[in-house]
Amino acid sequence: MRIICTDMEGKDHELLATEEWSVMEIIREGGIPILAQCGGSCACATCHVYVDPEWKGKIPEPNEDEIGLLNGAFDVNENSRLACQIIFNKNLDGLKIKLAPGSL
Amino acid sequence: MTENNAQNPITTDAIIVGAGPVGLFAVFELGLNDVKCHLVDILDRPGGQCAELYPEKPIYDIPAVPICTGAELTEKLLEQINPFHPVFHFGQMAESLVKTPEGKWRLTTDRGTVLEAPIVIIAAGGGSFVPKRPPIKGIDAFEGKSVFYSVRKMEQFRDKKIVIAGGGDSALDWAINLQPVANHLTLVHRRDEFRAAPDSVLKMRSLVAEGLMDLKIANLTTLNGADGHLTEVVLQEDGKQPHPLACDNLLAFYGLTMKLGPVAEFGLNLHENLVTVDVATFETSVPGIFAIGDINTYPGKMKLILSGFHEAALMAKKAFTYVHPDRRYRFQYTTSSSDLQHKLGVTEAA
């Protein structure tokens, strides 16, 4: 299974995805630089990504913590999510996301 | 504390840069080896990431501690190192590190504190916590003159038209505190939801209801002014045309982020912004300077608090040889050594 991660230069990377891993981990282990300063504890908003609108409906809604952090982040739009809070499963095979400026 | 400067530095055995869990535990390991410590941290309190990023979040992988929060871990470490009387220099960033003619290390902070010691331990984690800068074009030209990320003197803002940006505790606390001082105060946040103490949110809303301050749910898009002095900010509210708001000072509170900062200029070998070390001693490429915890890298490195604790113990063994060159290193257990127990203050006076 794979996800497609678009980096800040607009280049696409196909990354090996594993069920139950967070998308932040999939990006980090795929060798794409992502800050993720708090290490995935939903405390910092430095793994901000934009989810492709086509995929948005397949991902559970963000919880209150994540919404709060996104409200305080920059360059946020309606597709913004924290990658550490998106848990990969087989229904997300092919998921497309783009790194947001605050994640580098 | 007495004033100190380059002519009159504070002298100690070891300077620790960073008062996170690993910096704190280093005080313990060094203390057992008769090495006294001063610690410098940019935050205003101990704990590093444990204090700033996840004070309330549970940690499950500290040996023999099935669960504790970041705040609890910090508190326990402070209790553990208390017998060694560490001295803290909070709210300041280690800015420069040079060797003195006598062969000691002289560390100067951005607040002018000068410390000298034979050894320095970099335990700076992910680097210095610095304010997140909003990505507004040209904001750097206003920083320090009319755009600020912290408040040192409230009087500076008397009778000013102030815009405060952000939705956390800092933004709300300063909105509430500066409202009586300001000519006019507007709080700007992206959403009408706040990550702050419920009391502060209530207080802010009542000030807004009484017409004593404004709340705008909007994005800040542009800063206008000249020579570093703001005249207006431009707000973009959902579904509306952007509109200007007269403003003398913008205070932006978007939380903190970590940057390696001046440590990069200390002359140490780095690999991808991490300090390379010898795994037997955790000494850097520069003799007498050590690096422990998340800031270092070596083959097999795992960024765990427990790795940093292990690194502190090995570092202390080598550190001892710099601080007490005339003494022979003695390996002892706290369970059996009356010497160590005496240092810890756990034995009856003989």
Side-chain angles (χ1 to χ4, degrees):
Chain A
M1 290 180 287
R2 297 279 190 273
I3 69 166
I4 314 291
C5 173
T6 309
D7 68 21
M8 234 75 86
E9 277 103 49
K11 194 170 166 237
D12 285 352
H13 303 266
E14 208 176 282
L15 306 176
L16 182 68
T18 305
E19 280 204 90
E20 293 180 23
W21 285 35
S22 74
V23 168
M24 180 277 281
E25 292 169 305
I26 293 168
I27 297 168
R28 193 183 60 194
E29 297 307 309
I32 309 298
I34 182 163
L35 263 182
Q37 283 181 336
C38 77
S41 58
C42 197
C44 76
T46 57
C47 65
H48 177 197
V49 296
Y50 305 115
V51 175
D52 187 288
E54 307 250 316
W55 288 89
K56 251 180 84 179
K58 298 197 171 163
I59 299 171
E61 291 291 307
N63 65 19
E64 206 177 296
D65 257 12
E66 184 182 348
I67 293 169
L69 283 166
L70 284 168
N71 283 340
F74 305 130
D75 304 302
V76 174
N77 68 29
E78 65 280 7
N79 301 322
S80 289
R81 291 296 303 264
L82 298 184
C84 74
Q85 299 302 301
I86 306 173
I87 307 304
F88 186 80
N89 64 56
K90 58 181 186 305
N91 298 324
L92 297 179
D93 190 11
L95 172 71
K96 286 171 120 170
I97 52 111
K98 186 179 191 307
L99 296 179
S103 65
L104 197 69
Chain B
M1 191 179 289
T2 51
E3 278 294 306
N4 86 95
N5 52 45
Q7 277 72 48
N8 185 27
I10 298 167
T11 58
T12 183
D13 294 337
I15 303 161
I16 302 177
V17 179
V22 174
L24 295 177
F25 192 65
V27 173
F28 183 83
E29 290 296 331
L30 291 165
L32 292 179
N33 286 295
D34 297 325
V35 176
K36 291 183 176 53
C37 304
H38 279 238
L39 298 93
V40 175
D41 200 294
I42 194 162
L43 294 179
D44 59 3
R45 61 205 183 283
Q49 290 185 43
C50 287
E52 181 59 33
L53 284 182
Y54 45 83
E56 308 296 335
K57 303 235 175 195
I59 306 171
Y60 300 99
D61 64 348
I62 305 298
V65 183
I67 177 174
C68 70
T69 63
E72 286 163 352
L73 181 69
T74 305
E75 204 177 299
K76 287 285 181 193
L77 284 164
L78 287 170
E79 184 187 333
Q80 191 169 25
I81 65 176
N82 191 47
F84 302 112
H85 309 294
V87 182
F88 293 97
H89 304 272
F90 288 126
Q92 36 200 318
M93 179 163 67
E95 200 167 55
S96 78
L97 183 62
V98 295
K99 201 151 200 179
T100 66
E102 298 78 37
K104 284 184 162 190
W105 292 105
R106 173 180 293 171
L107 185 133
T108 308
T109 75
D110 62 345
R111 304 285 296 272
T113 303
V114 183
L115 296 155
E116 274 188 20
I119 58 165
V120 175
I121 294 101
I122 315 287
S128 297
F129 276 104
V130 294
K132 284 188 190 164
R133 299 167 82 187
I136 303 172
K137 212 175 148 217
I139 192 166
D140 48 331
F142 297 101
E143 286 171 350
K145 286 182 179 157
S146 56
V147 172
F148 302 94
Y149 301 107
S150 64
V151 176
R152 288 246 156 102
K153 280 202 208 103
M154 278 175 58
E155 269 312 300
Q156 174 183 2
F157 300 102
R158 183 167 292 281
D159 300 326
K160 295 289 171 68
K161 292 189 276 291
I162 301 173
V163 171
I164 293 185
D169 279 308
S170 299
L172 268 78
D173 288 352
W174 283 117
I176 293 163
N177 286 322
L178 288 172
Q179 178 276 326
V181 174
N183 167 285
H184 187 260
L185 190 142
T186 307
L187 178 65
V188 177
H189 187 43
R190 237 173 52 79
R191 287 280 160 80
D192 201 1
E193 291 158 27
F194 296 87
R195 266 170 77 85
D199 279 1
S200 309
V201 179
L202 280 176
K203 181 87 210 275
M204 178 274 290
R205 292 208 188 276
S206 79
L207 289 171
V208 173
E210 289 166 53
L212 296 171
M213 63 173 272
D214 284 333
L215 170 64
K216 297 277 184 202
I217 307 306
N219 277 321
L220 267 177
T221 59
T222 312
L223 306 181
N224 291 324
D227 303 324
H229 297 286
L230 274 178
T231 50
E232 62 179 29
V233 297
V234 179
L235 302 182
Q236 169 78 65
E237 291 177 71
D238 259 358
K240 287 193 188 172
Q241 287 295 313
H243 60 93
L245 174 68
C247 171
D248 302 312
N249 291 130
L250 167 65
L251 290 161
F253 298 107
Y254 289 108
L256 303 177
T257 188
M258 290 176 278
K259 294 259 190 288
L260 182 58
V263 168
E265 315 299 320
F266 286 1
L268 312 173
N269 283 354
L270 301 177
H271 174 72
E272 290 178 353
N273 266 352
L274 296 166
V275 181
T276 55
V277 287
D278 173 345
V279 290
T281 59
F282 295 92
E283 197 162 16
T284 67
S285 56
V286 178
I289 303 182
F290 299 81
I292 56 175
D294 283 0
I295 194 110
N296 75 16
T297 187
Y298 52 86
K301 168 74 180 185
M302 291 178 86
K303 283 192 184 184
L304 294 174
I305 292 171
L306 71 90
S307 309
F309 289 169
H310 158 81
E311 293 161 15
L314 272 71
M315 171 278 295
K317 189 175 158 189
K318 178 75 185 277
F320 171 85
T321 65
Y322 284 99
V323 178
H324 302 293
D326 49 332
R327 286 170 54 187
R328 195 170 160 199
Y329 176 81
R330 179 181 175 199
F331 178 72
Q332 302 179 89
Y333 294 106
T334 56
T335 40
S336 53
S337 160
S338 58
D339 171 42
L340 295 186
Q341 288 165 1
H342 179 73
K343 289 173 193 171
L344 291 166
V346 291
T347 42
E348 301 292 316

